[in-house]
Amino acid sequence: MQINIQNRLFQWTINRSSNRRTVQLRLVSPEVLEVAAPNRITTAELEALVKTKAAWILRQADKLEALSYNPFNAGIADGVKLLYRGKSYTLLMLGAYQAQ
């Protein structure tokens, strides 16, 4: 299913459970929202809830988008800079582990 939040289109899935008492909203990626909800809540109620949480969803989507463009940790190859515990390190691959 898709939902439009302030002119941004999000794919969203609903995972229902009879044991769940609360609703959980989780952004998997900047365009994908997962909703975990109890069985008793209707899809229309969930859609209304998601719309009330639009500001939070958009903020989180923007954060995830910014993280995805981070040049650090973009891939594993010789000479790539990695961010580890807040410091930048250059990766040196030795012998058989070197990228072909």
Side-chain angles (χ1 to χ4, degrees):
M1 294 189 307
Q2 291 186 335
I3 188 167
N4 188 343
I5 301 174
Q6 294 183 5
N7 296 324
R8 281 179 73 174
L9 204 56
F10 289 87
Q11 279 294 118
W12 70 308
T13 58
I14 302 171
N15 299 319
R16 296 183 185 274
S17 172
S18 58
N19 296 332
R20 183 171 270 287
R21 294 179 172 266
T22 61
V23 175
Q24 176 188 24
L25 302 177
R26 180 174 162 244
L27 271 147
V28 179
S29 73
E31 314 84 28
V32 179
L33 176 68
E34 282 185 357
V35 180
N39 285 337
R40 67 182 181 278
I41 297 180
T42 66
T43 303
E45 289 172 320
L46 289 173
E47 190 168 347
L49 175 71
V50 167
K51 296 228 180 208
T52 63
K53 297 295 184 182
W56 179 85
I57 292 168
L58 293 172
R59 269 196 320 274
Q60 299 308 311
D62 290 342
K63 284 181 188 177
L64 286 175
E65 219 166 73
L67 286 174
S68 68
Y69 293 120
N70 187 350
F72 286 99
N73 302 339
I76 303 296
D78 191 41
V80 169
K81 290 195 180 287
L82 296 175
L83 192 60
Y84 178 70
R85 292 189 161 199
K87 293 184 181 179
S88 174
Y89 295 92
T90 302
L91 180 65
L92 297 175
M93 300 186 85
L94 304 174
Y97 298 105
Q98 205 161 13
Q100 301 282 320

